Amino acid sequence: MNKKIIKDIRLYKSELQNESGNDTIIPFADKKLNAITQRIVMKLRENNFSLGEFDHLYINFTTCDMSEKMSLSEKVDRYHPWYRYCDVHVEKHRYDELGSVESYGEIIHSISAVLIAYFATEDFDKSKILSCIHQAVEEGENMLMKFKEKVSTKRKAVIFLRYLDTCRFYPLLRVYDTEENLLFEKDLPETLVLDYIGEIQISTKKITIKPRKNAFTTGQKALVFEY
């Protein structure tokens, strides 16, 4: 089986079970809840957590009767095989509160329960999953995820990602010497997408971050910092 590193978790609700597929599901998360969920994914991804042969997990909170509290669908969309649905039963009064700040704790608990029940392995066990989730939730907007690294004979440049409650990335650049002493630190521009962070070039006095090569970055200049 080709194991894929996690890319996304999305939250939905429906009064129907979605294991066989239906079009009644509703996304309910506000920006802050989406940001929390994204940070969980980022920290899991940084640690190479895999969902198996797919990389998008869609969690559907439902009031319908189920034999178990949770049910991971075995149905595969042959045109979009990269996602699966998992239904999670909630009581009606909890269902009506989904998306409110008061529901965040239960939703995070449900995400944890689904990941542990269906995707924990000997190499990435319950404690490691919970550690990633705890770090993402506790550190919030200050959580760092290592995104890119460039190492030369005398320097190491690392770009970390932070994810704001506005659902924008706020990258952070750090440059180290060979003994891991921090030489330079710089906040990079906030962004919705990461197209301006492509190839990294580093010398003993200068770092250059070139944009990715695509249609959206035509004419965009590289970021250059001397330190």
Side-chain angles (χ1 to χ4, degrees), residues 49-77:
F49 177 76
S50 175
L51 297 172
E53 59 186 6
F54 59 98
D55 49 29
H56 287 58
L57 178 63
Y58 297 165
I59 299 177
N60 176 48
F61 293 86
T62 180
T63 57
C64 72
D65 292 330
M66 296 169 54
S67 57
E68 302 288 342
K69 171 71 175 178
M70 301 176 294
S71 176
L72 180 67
S73 175
E74 296 181 1
K75 180 180 175 62
V76 179
D77 184 331

Side-chain angles (χ1 to χ4, degrees), residues 3 20-22 33 46 53 70 79 95 102-103 105 116 118 120 124 133 143 154 188 190 199 214-215 220-221:
K3 289 191 175 183
S20 59
N22 70 70
L33 181 55
E46 182 182 45
E53 59 186 6
M70 301 176 294
Y79 299 109
Y95 180 88
E102 292 74 21
S103 71
I116 291 166
Y118 295 108
F124 211 119
I133 293 173
M143 188 200 80
K154 295 184 178 181
L188 300 181
E190 291 184 26
E199 180 187 355
N214 59 41
Q220 187 170 338
K221 294 181 179 180

Side-chain angles (χ1 to χ4, degrees), residues 89-128:
H89 177 77
V90 290
E91 299 298 331
K92 184 65 167 65
H93 68 284
R94 296 292 189 192
Y95 180 88
D96 293 337
E97 295 174 352
L98 286 173
S100 66
V101 174
E102 292 74 21
S103 71
Y104 286 5
E106 184 169 351
I107 290 167
I108 294 166
H109 175 77
S110 295
I111 293 172
S112 305
V114 168
L115 295 177
I116 291 166
Y118 295 108
F119 306 107
T121 64
E122 185 176 343
D123 294 330
F124 211 119
D125 60 11
K126 174 181 178 179
S127 63
K128 196 168 182 179

Side-chain angles (χ1 to χ4, degrees), residues 16-25 73 75 83 85 87:
L16 298 176
Q17 195 168 351
N18 198 64
E19 63 176 8
S20 59
N22 70 70
D23 58 3
T24 64
I25 60 170
S73 175
K75 180 180 175 62
Y83 74 86
Y85 276 100
D87 291 305

Side-chain angles (χ1 to χ4, degrees), residues 25-37:
I25 60 170
I26 304 168
F28 63 83
D30 61 9
K31 276 193 173 183
K32 186 169 183 178
L33 181 55
N34 275 328
I36 294 170
T37 307

